[in-house]
Amino acid sequence: GQNIDQPTEMTATEGAIVQINCTYQTSGFNGLFWYQQHAGEAPTFLSYNVLDGLEEKGRFSSFLSRSKGYSYLLLKELQMKDSASYLCAVTAGTASKLTFGTGTRLQVTL
Amino acid sequence: DAEITQSPRHKITETGRQVTLACHQTWNHNNMFWYRQDLGHGLRLIHYSYGVHDTNKGEVSDGYSVSRSNTEDLPLTLESAASSQTSVYFCASSESRGNQPQHFGDGTRLSIL
């Protein structure tokens, strides 16, 4: 089975750093994706982790601990345009299909 | 540029009607997926396909069907629309090798009255 948990909402200030957590309990866990979704738009791919550790992409980084069933997305130097929902999703076994968490809505304020 | 397009973008229909949502991708991806997105539930998988003539049920497949007659298209059919199927529907595609990211269409907002 699959169980993925993320906080529902977060608020942070422009220029700050925010960490969005995702915990999962997934049989046959393979890898974890992060997507960004602005209101009324399609999800867009941000990052993928399959091994333990940190993956950095510009202002965004994603971390995975397979033993703890835990990931986080780190957003640095927050900008107003980062206000969006952030979706954590996992794959299991050899399947390419994703199971999504309910998403975290991030509000960036001045 | 390769893309994935959904049509229509918005649709209003009545309960009991058959509805088909189109999804067309020019990435030449083998994998295609249909999701619905509702408040409090996130994205939930309806059906998916790993290639021509292959279809599989997802988490919330009751009342929906798909067919895959070519690589580019995966239409989603609601056999007899119900008000509980009012939602935003997203189609996505991905390469078949390894764990490749899925590319999403812009979505179809479906209202069933």
Side-chain angles (χ1 to χ4, degrees):
Chain A
Q2 317 263 19
N3 189 34
I4 302 167
D5 287 313
Q6 306 178 234
T8 303
E9 291 187 358
M10 298 182 71
T11 303
T13 306
E14 190 179 34
I17 299 172
V18 71
Q19 178 175 312
I20 302 173
N21 296 327
C22 172
T23 59
Y24 62 88
Q25 293 171 314
T26 302
S27 301
F29 173 81
N30 190 340
L32 189 143
F33 290 82
W34 284 97
Y35 283 81
Q36 180 190 59
Q37 186 178 24
H38 287 99
E41 298 184 9
T44 55
F45 168 72
L46 286 178
S47 68
Y48 172 62
N49 294 74
V50 63
L51 300 175
D52 286 355
L54 191 67
E55 295 278 344
E56 297 188 72
K57 272 188 185 181
R59 294 189 300 116
F60 291 9
S61 304
S62 57
F63 172 82
L64 177 67
S65 169
R66 296 176 70 101
S67 62
K68 292 188 167 73
Y70 168 68
S71 174
Y72 66 73
L73 181 69
L74 195 70
L75 290 73
K76 302 175 189 173
E77 301 167 17
L78 278 173
Q79 302 174 10
M80 297 300 289
K81 67 178 182 179
D82 297 330
S83 292
S85 289
Y86 291 86
L87 315 179
C88 169
V90 302
T91 57
T94 56
S96 298
K97 60 191 177 90
L98 292 172
T99 300
F100 282 86
T102 53
T104 299
R105 188 164 63 193
L106 174 66
Q107 177 80 31
V108 179
T109 60
L110 291 171
Chain B
D1 283 348
E3 60 182 3
I4 179 165
T5 55
Q6 294 185 233
S7 61
R9 293 296 314 280
H10 299 90
K11 185 169 181 69
I12 302 174
T13 191
E14 297 175 344
T15 56
R17 300 237 176 178
Q18 184 181 77
V19 178
T20 296
L21 309 183
C23 175
H24 179 82
Q25 52 98 4
T26 58
W27 294 93
N28 200 35
H29 287 163
N30 282 327
N31 299 344
M32 294 186 74
F33 308 86
W34 273 104
Y35 298 89
R36 60 177 290 175
Q37 187 171 39
D38 306 285
L39 276 174
H41 289 282
L43 282 159
R44 291 182 291 174
L45 185 63
I46 305 171
H47 282 286
Y48 59 101
S49 168
Y50 288 150
V52 176
H53 302 310
D54 175 73
T55 60
N56 305 278
K57 293 181 179 181
E59 179 189 352
V60 289
S61 60
D62 286 349
Y64 303 93
S65 64
V66 292
S67 61
R68 186 90 181 270
S69 57
N70 58 52
T71 301
E72 295 79 18
D73 299 287
L74 187 70
L76 177 72
T77 297
L78 287 68
E79 304 292 345
S80 177
S83 57
S84 60
Q85 295 176 307
T86 292
S87 186
V88 180
Y89 291 85
F90 286 100
C91 178
S93 70
S94 70
E95 292 183 42
S96 52
R97 61 180 179 85
N99 269 314
Q100 297 299 308
Q102 293 182 16
H103 301 264
F104 283 79
D106 288 334
T108 295
R109 186 173 294 275
L110 178 64
S111 297
I112 300 164
L113 307 177

